[in-house]
Structure formats: structure tokens, C-alpha cells
Amino acid sequence: MASASSGPSAAGVSSLDPAVPSCASSSASGIKRSMASEVPYASGMPIKKIGHRGVDSSGETTYKKTTSSALKGAIQLGITHTVGSLSTKPERDVLMQDFYVVESIFFPSEGSNLTPAHHYNDFRFKTYAPVAFRYFRELFGIRPDDYLYSLCSEPLIELCNSGASGSLFYVSSDDEFIIKTVQHKEAEFLQKLLPGYYMNLNQNPRTLLPKFYGLYCVQAGGKNIRIVVMNNLLPRSVKMHIKYDLKGSTYKRRASQKEREKPLPTFKDLDFLQDIPDGLFLDADMYNALCKTLQRDCLVLQSFKIMDYSLLMSIHNIDHAQREPLGSEAQSSADTRRPAPQKALYSTAMESIQGEARRGGTMETDDHMGGIPARNSKGERLLLYIGIIDILQSYRFVKKLEHSWKALVHDGDTVSVHRPGFYAERFQRFMCNTVFKKIPLQPSWKSLKLQSQSSPIEQKNSEDLEQDSTSLVIPRSQPLPQQC
């Protein structure tokens, strides 16, 4: 079974960004407070719809006519129950039939012997493959009490601007987990992936693929709302200066004007080629580890006939951040606080690539904050936050037709929808030849700067770069390090 696309990656991912403000109704009040004032279904108010996501005239977000606050409450009640009941089941190896188990519990508003009373309409909560997902969480070092505390002790924070996908995104208050609504086909496809996903994680826990911690369904108002719990790629405590959604494709791969008007737009492949034409430079060990992980992950995706995935990359410029004025006391504390240590193993960008590259190298920083250290061709210090997203795509017949039609009008090798094998090869080639490059072992960045002062023209170029620190756009006149 194939997955329905969650929409263009840039649109679906922009909601995951720390720069995107959370919806006002999401974190202003606690669970009990939101329970007391909840009206679960929209009643006659005009709704602006994007897919299943709507916003009524009062500003309340709805999904399949269920308000966001009711959905958040149902999710937290359901997860609390399912994790608690799972603790009574003995630890054992995962069996094949575990991937296909679906457990269901009914939550009447007046409560029952198994469930508490609540202020929402009655709903049913389904948990898919509970034993298998318990194993995944254990593999990543997430204890049941930590999982419950992160997701259920504080109100979930709703991230707005879901874009064309129409999905809702929530982040846990500790920044650890993302909850995303998924379409029926996506949820079914993930279920079918679970046995292969299990085998892959056993062999390669260090991966840039999404880390799935749970798959659930809230049945409310005659509708099924499926949600998946994943790792959070972008810590809100780290300011991101620029963000890209990269596929290795060039056909229409430029951010729209509407996207560019956002506080932190999600740029695409053509924007990257224009903004950072010389790529991002990593230590040789870090570069090799990253490309090895990308290659392994692409082989896994190819084996599942998955394509149209993207590399989400947000960049924190350390040198820019140190020169930025601090607006207010609140902003100051937000910019200087370090992200809390993550509960899940291998969940940060640094941890997701090969372990041997985590120490050593020539680009040491005081605190990597979970990001991968890199440089641009100016020599500015960067932290990269990356992950492969939108993997619930299957190369179905309709996709074959889509590619065939586009290939009649455009160069078939430049469109994003392509054969899984070709897509994987093009994706790797773009990432490891164009986006990421090895820094030269010799000379160092400092000696490169000294060399740039050897002539009046080159010295002027160097002075210009010192003055221009407001953008990651790299002037072509800058002397560039040669790739190894």
C-alpha cells in the first residue's frame, strides 16, 4: 500500500520550525483549563480549510471538525492509558504478529472503570503495534515514564502554518517529540513498513530517517484522526538563520513568494544553488560519516520503493548569532539557554551520523548543541540540523504516470518524482557533491584568510566579507578552499 503525499516538503516542514510561532491557544493554558472551556466541534462558524485542517472565525484550529484543544486532550488521555497498560505486559522479543496488533479503548465523557471522566465528546483511542513501538522507544533509550512526562505532563504546543499539507503539528513542551497528523494512506504505509523498519533499526540505530515512536488514531465525531509521534529535528532554543528543503531536483524547486514572506522561509534546491553555490564544508571525518549515513538510508528507502523524500536542513550561524543584538531580556534568555539534553539516543543531527565522527576534527566549538559543525566559504562557523523527511511515499502507478507526464514536457531527470533507484542516486550525488564538501586539511581557515591579503584586490575582497555578515549568500569573488 502506498502513502499519500503530505504535500510539498517545504510546506509540510515549515510547521516544524522553532521560528514559527505557536498558536496562541495552544500553550496559554493548561490541560484542565482547556478541558473546561472546550467545545469539541465547530458549530456553524466559517472555516478556512487546508486539507483536513481548518481555522474558524474565532481562530480555533480544527482538524476533521474536531478542535485542536480537544484533539490534544484526547491524545494525552489516550497515550497515558496505553503506556500504562503496556507496562503490565512482560518484556519479550518482538514477533511478526506484533506489527499488526491494534488495541482500542473507549473514552466516554462521564468516565468508566478504565478511563477518567473528561470534558470532551466521547472518543475512541487506537494504538497500533504497541509492543513493536515499545521496542523502538527502548532502542532509542526512551523510558516509559520519560515518554509519558514529555507528552502528557504539560500542554502540547501547536505549531501553526502547516502549509499545503493540511497536517497539524504539535511539539512536546520539552522539545523532545513532534506529533503530526497523517493521512489514512500514510498511516497504512507506515504499518506495512514496520517489519523492515524494525530490521533496519536493529542494524543501524544511527540514521537520518525519521524516528517513529508511536502510531495512534483518535476516533471522534465519526472521523478517524491518525497521528504519529516522531523525533523533533529542530530545537526551539536554537535560533535558525536559514532553512532548506532539498531533494536534488531542480524542476520548480524554488521557494514561492508567499513562502519567502514568512519569518523563516523554507528555501529549496535552486535557492541553495544561488545562495550557497560553493556548498557547506565539513571535516573530512564528519563528511565521510554523513555521506555514509545518507548512502545507507537511501538504500533502505530504495528497497521500500520510497521516493520524493527531502533533506530538511536548518542552519545556525554561530558567528552571526554572536554579533546579533539582544532585543529584550526574554529574547536574551531564549538565545543563550542551551537545549536540554535529549532523552532519545541518536536523536540529534550529530548523533544520527556515524559515531566515530563525534569527536575530533578541526572545527571544534564550545557546544555543538546537537548540530553538526560546518563552515561556509567565508569561514563562518555553522551548526547544521538535518534529517530526512517525507518518507511515507511509495512509487505507485499514479506516481509513474505523474513522472511520465512531466517528462514529456520537461527533462525527466530534473523532476522530483522519479524511479526510486534513480531518485536515491541523484539525492546522494547532490548532497555529497554539491551541498556538503570536505574542508581542506591544509591550509587552515586562518591561513586562507592570510593568503587572501597577499594582493590589494584580494585584500579588498576579504574586507568586503568582513563587512557583509548579514547573509549566508557567498560572493563569487571570495577565494575558495579546494575540495579534497
Side-chain angles (χ1 to χ4, degrees), residues 229-242:
V229 181
M230 303 181 292
N231 59 312
N232 181 20
L233 290 177
L234 310 179
R236 288 175 297 141
S237 55
V238 179
K239 179 176 181 179
M240 302 301 172
H241 293 90
I242 197 164

Side-chain angles (χ1 to χ4, degrees), residues 136-205:
F136 296 148
R137 295 193 293 269
E138 289 173 351
L139 187 65
F140 291 115
I142 304 172
R143 298 184 304 176
D145 53 342
D146 286 337
Y147 188 64
L148 274 181
Y149 185 83
S150 293
L151 291 174
C152 303
S153 66
E154 297 288 339
L156 297 171
I157 300 168
E158 181 183 340
L159 300 178
C160 299
N161 302 324
S162 68
S165 71
S167 294
L168 286 185
F169 289 90
Y170 302 116
V171 62
S172 59
S173 59
D174 61 0
D175 248 9
E176 186 78 18
F177 304 107
I178 285 284
I179 297 177
K180 176 189 176 184
T181 59
V182 293
Q183 298 181 32
H184 173 57
K185 291 294 184 181
E186 290 178 298
E188 282 188 336
F189 189 48
L190 177 56
Q191 282 180 271
K192 287 201 169 183
L193 285 182
L194 287 181
Y197 186 73
Y198 167 84
M199 294 179 63
N200 178 58
L201 287 184
N202 268 322
Q203 298 172 14
N204 303 302

Side-chain angles (χ1 to χ4, degrees), residues 115-133:
T115 63
H118 56 84
H119 292 80
Y120 311 115
N121 283 3
D122 299 349
F123 69 91
R124 181 172 295 277
F125 192 83
K126 291 185 176 182
T127 303
Y128 296 89
V131 172
F133 279 108

Side-chain angles (χ1 to χ4, degrees), residues 77 106-123:
L77 286 170
F106 184 62
F107 284 82
S109 57
E110 66 273 14
S112 68
N113 293 334
L114 298 176
T115 63
H118 56 84
H119 292 80
Y120 311 115
N121 283 3
D122 299 349
F123 69 91

Side-chain angles (χ1 to χ4, degrees), residues 16 173 235 404:
L16 294 161
S173 59
S404 300

Side-chain angles (χ1 to χ4, degrees), residues 206-249:
R206 296 188 186 273
T207 175
L208 290 168
L209 298 177
K211 297 169 179 67
F212 299 111
Y213 302 133
L215 177 63
Y216 309 100
C217 178
V218 176
Q219 288 184 324
K223 302 287 186 179
N224 290 312
I225 302 175
R226 297 167 181 84
I227 61 166
V228 62
V229 181
M230 303 181 292
N231 59 312
N232 181 20
L233 290 177
L234 310 179
R236 288 175 297 141
S237 55
V238 179
K239 179 176 181 179
M240 302 301 172
H241 293 90
I242 197 164
K243 178 158 62 78
Y244 293 96
D245 177 285
L246 304 172
K247 292 180 182 287
S249 167

Side-chain angles (χ1 to χ4, degrees), residues 396-415:
R396 298 172 292 147
F397 180 66
V398 64
K399 288 293 184 182
K400 293 181 181 179
L401 289 180
E402 181 182 348
H403 174 260
S404 300
W405 178 80
K406 287 182 177 180
L408 290 176
V409 186
H410 307 280
D411 178 7
D413 289 350
T414 64
V415 299

